[in-house]
Amino acid sequence: MSDSAATDAGIVSTARSPDGAAVWVDGLVKRYAEVEAVRGIDFEVATGEVFGFLGPNGAGKTTTINMLCTLVKPTAGAARVAGHDVVRERDDVRRNIGLVFQDPTLDAYLTAAQNLRLHAELYRLEKKVIAPRMRQVLEMVGLWERRSSTVGTFSGGMRRRLEIARGMMHSPRVLFLDEPTIGLDPQTRRSIWGYIGELREREEITIFMTTHYMDEAEWCDRIAIMDHGQIVALDAPEELKSQVGHDRVTINTDDDDAAIAALRERFGVEARVHEGAVTFGVPGGEQFVPRLFDEWDPAHPPIRSVSVSRPTLDDVFMSHTGTTIRDAEEDQAKNRNRMMVQMMGGGRR
Amino acid sequence: MSATTERGAAVGAVGSVAAGADGAAAATPVISVHVPPHSLASELRAIRIVWQRDLIRFVNDRIRIAATLVQPLLFLFVLGSGLQRLSSAGTHGVNLKTFIYPGILCIAVMFTAMFSAASIVWDREFGFLREMMVAPVRRSSIVIGKCLGGATVACSQGIIMILLAGLVHVPYAPLLILAIFGLQLLLAFTITAFGVMIAARIKQMQAFFGVMQMIVMPMFFISGALFPASGLPQWLEILNRLDPLTYAVDPMRRLVFSHLHVSAAARAALDPGVTWWGWHVPGLLEAGVIALLGLAMLAVAIAEFSRVE
């Protein structure tokens, strides 16, 4: 629905200028001692847009958000948020943004209302608007009745909702959500997305979020796919999917290796095992299936089932990075483990 | 129960999004809110709310109120009554509890102030520190609010100890109470500033308490809270004069003894006063030492917290 509007506002303009954009990033780099977490990224987010950062853990999403929120100083490049420079005008940036972090940042010993009150005081809101505004944001996330309960008694989902309410308390122009639904059950995830949808209906706000859930990225007007500290693709989700140009075919066999070899020899397609099934991409998947069965040699392992699906964001991710997001994370976990083992071994010697 | 609440809320929210998409205007107008640029008044507001938070949390935490009182009460009544039997000859007829009472007035606020400073380490561990660090306020406001909060909380414990004066034969003179309270406030502020300074560097709770134990207990024992600060072996005298707590305990004792009716011999033995190379250090200067130390540590704490990205 809003894809086209967002595309018109953001991407089509070729002359990039910092004026008017909610977020404007130019050649942003963050280098830690040995690691280059963010390797020179450029993008801009139009006012009113829901912009998503998609990528595996460790891709540089959180580092980017931290730079935009003035929590981390960029090594190089520039960024402006709500019209203010993130290095030189830190205070002005902070006044105009709301933050919901991956990890909880509530005071569990205070009540929901006390947490919001504290936030309102730190953000110096006008005294007389605090009470009505508090009611409004608490009602939005369905916690008004629980305002006098200690946050310690809240479930994970309720806490996240309260964090979103708090992030909205001071009417930020840009709301940053770092993995807003991580670790939540599907039901609560949906409700969180409900609030985000409602927010953009009601308030003039730009939402910048990170996620590594593919299905959630679909909610965004535009998404940037991030991998190894770089943006590898940036467009509306539909556009990205149509760029993939092929459908995903998944087959189940008794001998995956033999099936992969057969696919390579006879059909010239490179298949891989993903999540327990042989998977490959072909243009026109529905037309390919009859051909597959016609030409499938009886000597090959019999095919138990076939499914064809339109490209998903997973496929988009794979076509740009050569791996699925889940595999990317597993590889990283393995690397980390290997490094730890090496370090421990080195220490002992 | 909470699961059903959440489900209900989820359905409600999705429903209202659909309504919004249909073009129905939001039922209530959005309350417009504006965050003004920073000013001195806004920083004072930040200091006040950080201070207030410490108070709210303290009042809610009755176990902590009780726990931090146990140690000073143990020292005062158990140690005081027990050692009395050994030392009655040396105290010139003054009850040992009366003698160590000024020291206990000091350490009562000291322990509580340490606890208050430790809450910064908790706040970091549970993420709340981040909420304060990203707010559009100066870090110095947060640190000052924190130190004032710690001092206030510690002094509420101090008041309980002041109320016990009658039990150790110290009169309830208004001026004495006021002076004790003022000195406690000063000490509590300095100790909180010290704790906050340490908390800026030490990120784990266990390590923090370890360091605190390592510093606080020696400070307490060396300060002269349990013995007069004269006629000590030289090594102990040097340590005693270096211990900041000495300069809180000594004026405190002088205050209390000035309201007691004791013999000149007892006064000379029990309240000899701190000397620097034979020069008697006046009480106001001692209080000044505490205040100066407090401000210096506050400055370091602010610098440390402003440096953190």
Side-chain angles (χ1 to χ4, degrees):
Chain A
M1 57 175 197
S2 41
D3 295 340
S4 58
T7 315
D8 288 347
I11 292 192
V12 176
S13 65
T14 41
R16 278 168 33 83
S17 87
D19 311 316
V23 178
W24 181 84
V25 172
D26 187 43
L28 206 56
V29 174
K30 180 64 193 180
R31 202 174 298 123
Y32 292 105
E34 304 120 60
V35 195
E36 203 165 27
V38 175
R39 310 176 180 204
I41 55 175
D42 310 275
F43 63 90
E44 69 190 84
V45 181
T47 304
E49 211 177 346
V50 176
F51 187 86
F53 247 35
L54 181 69
N57 287 327
K61 293 171 298 175
T62 299
T63 307
T64 305
I65 270 207
N66 282 343
M67 285 193 279
L68 296 179
C69 298
T70 75
L71 279 173
V72 167
K73 250 193 205 135
T75 311
R80 297 177 78 82
V81 173
H84 298 286
D85 187 282
V86 296
V87 178
R88 279 179 310 232
E89 300 164 288
R90 244 159 71 146
D91 225 45
D92 292 314
V93 171
R94 289 180 179 195
R95 277 195 298 136
N96 288 300
I97 59 173
L99 291 165
V100 178
F101 296 109
Q102 251 178 71
D103 307 310
T105 61
L106 296 162
D107 186 335
Y109 291 94
L110 299 184
T111 65
Q114 283 170 335
N115 266 288
L116 293 190
R117 172 102 219 169
L118 203 146
H119 186 85
E121 293 289 334
L122 285 178
Y123 284 74
R124 44 189 179 260
L125 303 191
E126 211 187 326
K127 298 267 182 202
K128 67 175 198 290
V129 303
I130 294 179
R133 178 67 181 170
M134 189 187 293
R135 179 170 189 150
Q136 189 160 52
V137 293
L138 280 177
E139 278 177 345
M140 181 189 81
V141 297
L143 288 173
W144 173 245
E145 275 70 36
R146 297 295 304 270
R147 64 190 176 278
S148 305
S149 306
T150 309
V151 172
T153 64
F154 282 14
S155 69
M158 289 163 78
R159 287 181 198 211
R160 200 65 57 91
R161 275 149 55 194
L162 181 59
E163 295 229 22
I164 292 176
R166 188 180 63 182
M168 284 308 297
M169 185 71 193
H170 58 286
S171 289
R173 285 168 61 190
V174 184
L175 179 64
F176 288 93
L177 302 163
D178 194 5
E179 303 272 3
T181 58
I182 199 166
L184 299 179
D185 60 276
Q187 193 68 255
T188 312
R189 276 170 60 188
R190 254 192 46 201
S191 79
I192 299 272
W193 276 102
Y195 305 131
I196 295 172
E198 195 177 359
L199 261 180
R200 58 180 310 197
E201 291 290 333
R202 293 177 58 136
E203 315 214 355
E204 223 173 88
I205 189 165
T206 306
I207 295 173
F208 186 106
M209 54 165 308
T210 68
T211 182
H212 66 289
Y213 293 122
M214 291 293 174
D215 51 331
E216 292 198 335
E218 307 262 0
W219 288 80
C220 300
D221 294 325
R222 284 192 304 145
I223 51 176
I225 294 182
M226 201 162 184
D227 191 36
H228 297 297
Q230 282 171 319
I231 292 178
V232 293
L234 194 166
D235 213 326
E238 282 312 312
E239 293 295 319
L240 286 173
K241 282 187 269 185
S242 68
Q243 284 162 16
V244 172
H246 58 237
D247 297 330
R248 180 203 282 236
V249 180
T250 308
I251 60 175
N252 278 300
T253 69
D254 291 334
D255 186 346
D256 290 344
D257 289 337
I260 288 171
L263 284 165
R264 189 183 301 124
E265 281 163 26
R266 189 165 292 268
F267 303 97
V269 294
E270 276 304 324
R272 289 179 62 171
V273 176
H274 282 301
E275 286 147 39
V278 175
T279 306
F280 54 93
V282 285
E286 275 110 347
Q287 289 79 40
F288 178 78
V289 172
R291 214 187 112 210
L292 175 69
F293 282 98
D294 283 346
E295 300 178 23
W296 194 257
D297 202 301
H300 297 328
I303 298 172
R304 302 267 175 228
S305 68
V306 181
S307 71
V308 178
S309 53
R310 312 301 302 175
T312 64
L313 283 176
D314 259 311
D315 301 302
V316 174
F317 189 83
M318 199 156 99
S319 76
H320 285 284
T321 64
T323 169
T324 67
I325 204 159
R326 191 174 301 182
D327 290 341
E329 288 184 353
E330 274 169 15
D331 281 352
Q332 272 172 0
K334 270 184 220 143
N335 276 336
R336 258 197 308 276
N337 287 346
R338 196 180 312 135
M339 268 170 63
M340 274 169 68
V341 169
Q342 279 169 358
M343 276 160 58
M344 278 151 64
R348 230 177 267 130
R349 241 167 270 141
Chain B
M1 193 224 129
S2 75
T4 49
T5 322
E6 246 157 60
R7 196 157 305 138
V11 173
V14 172
S16 64
V17 173
D22 286 346
T28 46
V30 171
I31 313 271
S32 88
V33 179
H34 169 70
V35 183
H38 118 110
S39 66
L40 182 63
S42 71
E43 297 303 324
L44 291 177
R45 255 178 105 177
I47 292 175
R48 205 190 61 195
I49 194 67
V50 173
W51 170 78
Q52 227 172 23
R53 168 174 175 255
D54 263 22
L55 257 57
I56 294 172
R57 287 187 57 153
F58 180 67
V59 172
N60 289 340
D61 197 353
R62 293 191 187 82
I63 296 174
R64 187 176 134 206
I65 300 177
T68 40
L69 277 176
V70 169
Q71 219 162 2
L73 291 179
L74 264 179
F75 279 120
L76 184 58
F77 290 107
V78 177
L79 204 67
S81 306
L83 290 182
Q84 171 72 30
R85 299 183 50 231
L86 287 177
S87 62
S88 43
T91 54
H92 300 269
V94 176
N95 193 302
L96 190 67
K97 290 198 284 286
T98 313
F99 169 71
I100 59 175
Y101 179 63
I104 301 303
L105 286 172
C106 292
I107 64 149
V109 298
M110 187 162 158
F111 287 145
T112 316
M114 282 295 179
F115 256 100
S116 297
S119 72
I120 281 208
V121 183
W122 282 123
D123 282 347
R124 185 185 285 116
E125 229 164 274
F126 292 111
F128 186 78
L129 191 63
R130 213 158 180 211
E131 152 79 354
M132 294 197 283
M133 297 293 244
V134 296
V137 294
R138 299 274 173 278
R139 296 275 162 87
S140 50
S141 305
I142 294 167
V143 174
I144 292 171
K146 195 79 210 170
C147 291
L148 292 178
T152 313
V153 164
C155 280
S156 70
Q157 300 278 73
I159 289 172
I160 298 178
M161 298 310 293
I162 292 177
L163 291 178
L164 298 177
L167 293 179
V168 295
H169 321 297
V170 173
Y172 293 105
L175 269 180
L176 173 65
I177 291 175
L178 218 65
I180 290 177
F181 185 73
L183 207 51
Q184 280 183 331
L185 197 66
L186 192 61
L187 178 67
F189 179 83
T190 298
I191 298 289
T192 316
F194 171 67
V196 171
M197 182 181 86
I198 302 280
R201 281 294 177 95
I202 295 180
K203 312 264 152 84
Q204 269 102 35
M205 206 60 190
Q206 289 95 325
F208 181 81
F209 275 118
V211 169
M212 282 297 162
Q213 287 290 339
M214 205 172 72
I215 296 170
V216 169
M217 288 322 266
M219 257 172 81
F220 164 57
F221 281 117
I222 292 168
S223 69
L226 299 175
F227 50 77
S230 70
L232 301 170
Q234 201 179 6
W235 63 268
L236 185 52
E237 186 174 318
I238 292 170
L239 286 179
N240 174 267
R241 299 305 190 262
L242 291 175
D243 182 351
L245 195 56
T246 301
Y247 302 99
V249 170
D250 187 52
M252 192 73 92
R253 180 164 295 141
R254 205 166 303 169
L255 273 172
V256 170
F257 270 70
S258 68
H259 286 76
L260 296 180
H261 300 288
V262 294
S263 65
R267 198 177 298 274
L270 299 179
D271 182 27
V274 168
T275 51
W276 285 343
W277 298 281
W279 178 62
H280 213 90
V281 186
L284 270 180
L285 178 60
E286 291 178 302
V289 168
I290 300 288
L292 212 67
L293 271 173
L295 290 176
M297 288 190 283
L298 178 71
V300 174
I302 289 172
E304 290 271 337
F305 273 100
S306 305
R307 220 169 35 104
V308 179
E309 272 199 341

